[in-house]
Amino acid sequence: MLAVTLNPGFVPILAGLLVLAAPRVARAPIMALAALTALWLLLDHEFGAASAMAQMGLPVVLLNLDALNRIFGIALLIALIFVAVYSGARRNRYEDAAILMLAGGAVSALFVGDLVSFVAAAALAGLSAAWTVFASPVEGANRAGVRLLIWHGLEGLLFLVGVALHITAGAASSVFARLDVTSMGGACIFAALLIRVGAPMAHVWLKDVVSHASAVGGAALSVFTSMLGVYALARLFPAEPLLVPIGAAMIVIGAIYAAAQDDLRRAGAYALTAQTGVCVALIGVGSPLALAAAEGHAFAAVLAFAALQMALGAVLVRTGDARLSGFTGLARAMPLTTLLMFVGGLAVAGAPGFALYATQTVALEATAQWELRGVWLLIAALSAMLFVSLALRPALVAYRVVAKPSAFNEAPFPMMLGTSLATFLSFAIGLAPRWLYDLMPAELAFQPFAIDRLAPQLEVLGVAGLAYLALHYTALAPKTLPWRTLDIDALYRGPAASAGRWAGVLLLRAYGAWQAGATRSGYAAGRLLGRVAKLCDQPFAPRGVANAAQLLSIGAILVIILVFR
């Protein structure tokens, strides 16, 4: 009997093609059904490789399930269900198809067992992410989509070069296994994954696309993009020392820019970069406890940031913007959305009772060593920074009393339902994290609510909150941000882009001048040869001139014969 094993990620890809022809009322159910079917295929299959074949002498493994990719797959497919429910409030079949392709590419990349298939699935996810941005009605989305294509093009080029160099090591070397970052192939793949997770210098693409995507697209991009890179780093480069300082730099950059942003969707993207940095640093530590913490932290971050971006997307739909400066009196117009936004801010900050707190305590335990004290301090301080930036600060502005309150204008019901489901699951896991610990590859017996772990977290959040409240009510903290923050993409899109344009103009002018000179030289040489030939054909020309012309012609012919003989 022929047994056909289907990669769970193929189901959303097929559903993405189906929703292009489906009516509006059927698209959200199709998305949810695709996620549930893929989740059933994932949970029904036993650990191990399946659907392996050989192509061009290389092993191709379309499905390889283990504890590491299972926890990432469950997180992404659960998030796809929430996104499907959330998407029922608007009409955009192209964005629905793009999101399904994005989710399908990311999930397929999780479960393949060879590098060639992984690169193909990751490339599909990258192209679908750009499609999601192009489908957005937000101003500037087209330019942001082009910039994302450039980033993914660079990532894809590094992947292809790295895999090509790595395959030359042997016929079976494409199997998904640990790579050496000191080899040329491993270094190229490592660099490509750093782009995917948003490492320093490449972190700007995430905040760029999330802030230009639609409400649904922003949530989907937060879930299905950078976490694929975290999985691949945990699979291919565990215990790589370079990842510790890279992750620490991501935490610092993400926390600082999240606190300095007026656009809260962009601030949420920076916060995601910071929490991704926690995962990257833990993978670099490489101990079994640190790897388990990284995988659980990625799972919790998917749910928390899906909830936060959904709440901010609901504000975007109703007000046309998600800037902190426009939140004054928002609690009167959108009370439930404001509450969900505040709770989402608590979730991404790792407040006790939420999933990120349950995994953050494990991360702190894994880095509680003297040589890792810097990483420990950054993880502990990140909660306070994100609590003030994404929970307390928006709440103070939204609940500010205004002379002329806005009319009631709550978000559509599907958006509220999707946000509530994501928030509820993040809260439920935070209160009972035992089953999340059981999903981790390492055996983990941990008590996150022990007093010696709970009390320091409450103290950090409480001190940070009281300090900000004191600054706020004494008018020492600005009510609106008086500055416009610039990141490294200001260099990419400013001086670097201008220099590239000027270099292109100069090269085009130089090429044009060379082409015109060559044309004129050709015309002059042709006229000269014509005159020489005419002298040879004129029998009544002066004898000296004719003889000289004939002698030169014969000499040139002889030279050509000798040279090309």
Side-chain angles (χ1 to χ4, degrees), residues 415-468:
M415 288 188 165
M416 299 292 297
L417 180 59
T419 309
S420 301
L421 289 174
T423 305
F424 171 77
L425 185 59
S426 180
F427 186 66
I429 293 175
L431 289 180
R434 180 69 263 163
W435 74 271
L436 176 57
Y437 293 158
D438 291 338
L439 285 177
M440 296 178 182
E443 293 290 336
L444 187 63
F446 201 78
Q447 297 297 327
F449 293 104
I451 191 64
D452 59 333
R453 299 187 177 101
L454 179 63
Q457 182 72 358
L458 290 175
E459 291 173 358
V460 168
L461 297 180
V463 170
L466 290 175
Y468 183 77

Side-chain angles (χ1 to χ4, degrees), residues 499-564:
R501 285 193 294 269
W502 276 106
V505 170
L506 291 175
L507 289 175
L508 286 175
R509 290 183 177 179
Y511 175 75
W514 173 83
Q515 193 174 35
T519 302
R520 288 194 297 269
S521 301
Y523 283 145
R527 287 194 297 269
L528 177 61
L529 291 176
R531 286 196 294 268
V532 172
K534 189 178 294 184
L535 290 173
C536 293
D537 292 338
Q538 292 178 355
F540 302 105
R543 183 174 299 275
V545 176
N547 290 339
Q550 292 172 2
L551 181 61
L552 289 174
S553 301
I554 294 171
I557 293 172
L558 291 174
V559 170
I560 292 173
I561 292 173
L562 290 174
V563 171
F564 295 99

